[in-house]
PDB file of all heavy atoms in Angstrom:
ATOM      1  N   LEU I 181      -8.344  17.258  23.437  1.00 70.00           N
ATOM      2  CA  LEU I 181      -8.386  15.978  22.666  1.00 70.00           C
ATOM      3  C   LEU I 181      -9.051  14.891  23.414  1.00 70.00           C
ATOM      4  O   LEU I 181      -8.479  13.887  23.795  1.00 70.00           O
ATOM      5  CB  LEU I 181      -6.951  15.536  22.352  1.00 70.00           C
ATOM      6  CG  LEU I 181      -6.149  16.380  21.404  1.00 70.00           C
ATOM      7  CD1 LEU I 181      -4.716  15.893  21.413  1.00 70.00           C
ATOM      8  CD2 LEU I 181      -6.679  16.331  19.996  1.00 70.00           C
ATOM      9  N   PRO I 182     -10.378  15.007  23.689  1.00 61.00           N
ATOM     10  CA  PRO I 182     -11.006  13.942  24.437  1.00 61.00           C
ATOM     11  C   PRO I 182     -11.253  12.652  23.600  1.00 61.00           C
ATOM     12  O   PRO I 182     -11.238  11.571  24.144  1.00 61.00           O
ATOM     13  CB  PRO I 182     -12.370  14.517  24.873  1.00 61.00           C
ATOM     14  CG  PRO I 182     -12.614  15.631  23.880  1.00 61.00           C
ATOM     15  CD  PRO I 182     -11.290  16.089  23.347  1.00 61.00           C
ATOM     16  N   TYR I 183     -11.446  12.769  22.273  1.00 62.00           N
ATOM     17  CA  TYR I 183     -11.829  11.624  21.530  1.00 62.00           C
ATOM     18  C   TYR I 183     -11.090  11.563  20.180  1.00 62.00           C
ATOM     19  O   TYR I 183     -10.732  12.658  19.664  1.00 62.00           O
ATOM     20  CB  TYR I 183     -13.291  11.600  21.275  1.00 62.00           C
ATOM     21  CG  TYR I 183     -14.143  11.606  22.500  1.00 62.00           C
ATOM     22  CD1 TYR I 183     -14.837  12.707  22.894  1.00 62.00           C
ATOM     23  CD2 TYR I 183     -14.208  10.396  23.236  1.00 62.00           C
ATOM     24  CE1 TYR I 183     -15.594  12.656  23.973  1.00 62.00           C
ATOM     25  CE2 TYR I 183     -14.929  10.376  24.395  1.00 62.00           C
ATOM     26  CZ  TYR I 183     -15.672  11.505  24.722  1.00 62.00           C
ATOM     27  OH  TYR I 183     -16.389  11.523  25.895  1.00 62.00           O
ATOM     28  N   ASN I 184     -10.909  10.412  19.606  1.00 65.00           N
ATOM     29  CA  ASN I 184     -10.445  10.404  18.200  1.00 65.00           C
ATOM     30  C   ASN I 184     -11.652  10.285  17.289  1.00 65.00           C
ATOM     31  O   ASN I 184     -12.747  10.396  17.718  1.00 65.00           O
ATOM     32  CB  ASN I 184      -9.444   9.243  18.011  1.00 65.00           C
ATOM     33  CG  ASN I 184     -10.145   7.903  17.983  1.00 65.00           C
ATOM     34  OD1 ASN I 184     -11.380   7.786  18.188  1.00 65.00           O
ATOM     35  ND2 ASN I 184      -9.383   6.858  17.685  1.00 65.00           N
ATOM     36  N   ALA I 185     -11.348  10.153  15.937  1.00 65.00           N
ATOM     37  CA  ALA I 185     -12.437  10.192  15.021  1.00 65.00           C
ATOM     38  C   ALA I 185     -13.484   9.074  15.197  1.00 65.00           C
ATOM     39  O   ALA I 185     -14.588   9.184  14.789  1.00 65.00           O
ATOM     40  CB  ALA I 185     -11.879  10.137  13.594  1.00 65.00           C
ATOM     41  N   ASP I 186     -13.046   7.981  15.842  1.00 71.00           N
ATOM     42  CA  ASP I 186     -13.968   6.859  16.063  1.00 71.00           C
ATOM     43  C   ASP I 186     -14.682   6.963  17.439  1.00 71.00           C
ATOM     44  O   ASP I 186     -15.288   6.004  17.935  1.00 71.00           O
ATOM     45  CB  ASP I 186     -13.241   5.596  16.023  1.00 71.00           C
ATOM     46  CG  ASP I 186     -12.602   5.321  14.641  1.00 71.00           C
ATOM     47  OD1 ASP I 186     -13.198   5.721  13.615  1.00 71.00           O
ATOM     48  OD2 ASP I 186     -11.477   4.785  14.589  1.00 71.00           O
ATOM     49  N   GLY I 187     -14.467   8.103  18.150  1.00 69.00           N
ATOM     50  CA  GLY I 187     -15.125   8.274  19.438  1.00 69.00           C
ATOM     51  C   GLY I 187     -14.366   7.538  20.602  1.00 69.00           C
ATOM     52  O   GLY I 187     -14.933   7.338  21.644  1.00 69.00           O
ATOM     53  N   GLN I 188     -13.133   7.093  20.315  1.00 70.00           N
ATOM     54  CA  GLN I 188     -12.365   6.414  21.280  1.00 70.00           C
ATOM     55  C   GLN I 188     -11.630   7.371  22.190  1.00 70.00           C
ATOM     56  O   GLN I 188     -11.103   8.424  21.651  1.00 70.00           O
ATOM     57  CB  GLN I 188     -11.396   5.484  20.568  1.00 70.00           C
ATOM     58  CG  GLN I 188     -10.627   4.574  21.436  1.00 70.00           C
ATOM     59  CD  GLN I 188      -9.609   3.790  20.563  1.00 70.00           C
ATOM     60  OE1 GLN I 188      -9.581   3.915  19.345  1.00 70.00           O
ATOM     61  NE2 GLN I 188      -8.790   3.002  21.216  1.00 70.00           N
ATOM     62  N   GLU I 189     -11.532   7.108  23.457  1.00 70.00           N
ATOM     63  CA  GLU I 189     -10.799   8.027  24.384  1.00 70.00           C
ATOM     64  C   GLU I 189      -9.291   7.966  24.130  1.00 70.00           C
ATOM     65  O   GLU I 189      -8.720   6.864  23.959  1.00 70.00           O
ATOM     66  CB  GLU I 189     -11.139   7.710  25.770  1.00 70.00           C
ATOM     67  CG  GLU I 189     -10.937   8.936  26.614  1.00 70.00           C
ATOM     68  CD  GLU I 189     -11.703   8.715  28.032  1.00 70.00           C
ATOM     69  OE1 GLU I 189     -12.653   7.968  28.011  1.00 70.00           O
ATOM     70  OE2 GLU I 189     -11.270   9.337  28.989  1.00 70.00           O
TER      71      GLU I 189
END
Side-chain angles (χ1 to χ4, degrees):
L181 293 171
Y183 301 107
N184 74 356
D186 299 325
Q188 187 184 354
E189 204 160 335

